[in-house]
Amino acid sequence: LAGYSRVRIGAMARALEQQCIAVMASTVGSCDWSEAVDTNMGMGGVFCPPDTGFPATGVIAEGRLGQPGWTYAEVDLDAVARVRNDGVVLNR
């Protein structure tokens, strides 16, 4: 769970700081063939800058923790451009 949290926090920070959409995919379950990822916990996520026109949480979509499956969302690229040009926080 700590590894999943590190990746999620990083993806959310990337979306915030770069004013972009960040997508993460997690592996779930056991991977006996890999010492690095022998036990996996997580869920997919689609993250955005928490700014005008996007969810205040910075989360567009997320899967279910520990449940395999696809996580997807429709993304408005014009909304990304608007935030980059005239958002509340202009990071870029």
Side-chain angles (χ1 to χ4, degrees), residues 39-66:
T39 304
N40 300 274
M41 174 61 67
M43 63 183 176
V46 181
F47 307 109
C48 61
D51 205 325
T52 307
F54 289 107
T57 61
V59 179
I60 296 175
E62 60 187 358
R64 294 182 58 205
L65 189 62

Side-chain angles (χ1 to χ4, degrees), residues 32-91:
D32 297 333
W33 50 268
S34 172
E35 291 181 26
V37 291
D38 56 344
T39 304
N40 300 274
M41 174 61 67
M43 63 183 176
V46 181
F47 307 109
C48 61
D51 205 325
T52 307
F54 289 107
T57 61
V59 179
I60 296 175
E62 60 187 358
R64 294 182 58 205
L65 189 62
Q67 298 295 314
W70 293 99
T71 302
Y72 55 91
E74 289 192 30
V75 175
D76 181 354
L77 296 180
D78 289 333
V80 174
R82 283 191 296 276
V83 164
R84 286 181 171 181
N85 290 326
D86 193 30
V88 175
V89 179
L90 299 176
N91 297 340

Side-chain angles (χ1 to χ4, degrees), residues 16-36:
L16 169 68
E17 293 169 355
Q18 299 301 316
Q19 293 175 300
C20 67
I21 304 302
V23 178
M24 70 172 280
S26 295
T27 53
V28 176
S30 102
C31 291
D32 297 333
W33 50 268
S34 172
E35 291 181 26

